[in-house]
Amino acid sequence: MIAGNFSWRYRNRLSVERAVFIHSYAFTPYLRAEAYYDSLYSKWSATLLTAGASFPIKKHTELEPYYQHLNQTGRTPNQQLENIGLKFNLYF
């Protein structure tokens, strides 16, 4: 609910990834594209492009550096955001 009005968002993500082996070490670079439909604006209101890679550290941990480009077209004026980040993933 936004300002007392019900709204919803649909997102769809396409991902391409492939394991790369250097001797016995394997990491996984990826590219992702996401599109968001927002009922508040009644249109496709954002696109997100991401490039990154997953680097295993141990059996249940990995580091994942990434770069993102977000294009928000829901409100006027449009916003373009550039992000870099680093995730630390734990798997149980």
Side-chain angles (χ1 to χ4, degrees):
M1 302 242 327
I2 299 174
N5 296 320
F6 177 78
S7 70
W8 53 271
R9 186 184 331 182
Y10 171 79
R11 86 176 193 189
N12 206 355
R13 177 167 68 182
L14 175 66
S15 182
V16 177
E17 58 185 54
R18 182 179 178 116
V20 175
F21 294 89
I22 297 177
H23 300 289
S24 63
Y25 183 74
F27 64 97
T28 308
Y30 62 83
L31 294 172
R32 293 182 182 143
E34 293 182 59
Y36 295 84
Y37 182 90
D38 198 328
S39 69
L40 184 65
Y41 308 113
S42 298
K43 66 178 186 174
W44 293 94
S45 62
T47 55
L48 178 66
L49 303 174
T50 307
S54 297
F55 296 95
I57 299 171
K58 294 199 178 228
K59 187 175 180 179
H60 298 287
T61 59
E62 67 183 18
L63 280 178
E64 187 177 331
Y66 62 89
Y67 164 79
Q68 290 182 327
H69 172 77
L70 175 63
N71 184 27
Q72 295 180 322
T73 59
R75 298 183 195 138
T76 303
N78 294 350
Q79 276 190 320
Q80 303 226 354
L81 302 169
E82 310 291 331
N83 302 306
I84 58 170
L86 179 64
K87 290 194 281 186
F88 179 68
N89 299 317
L90 296 172
Y91 300 100
F92 296 98

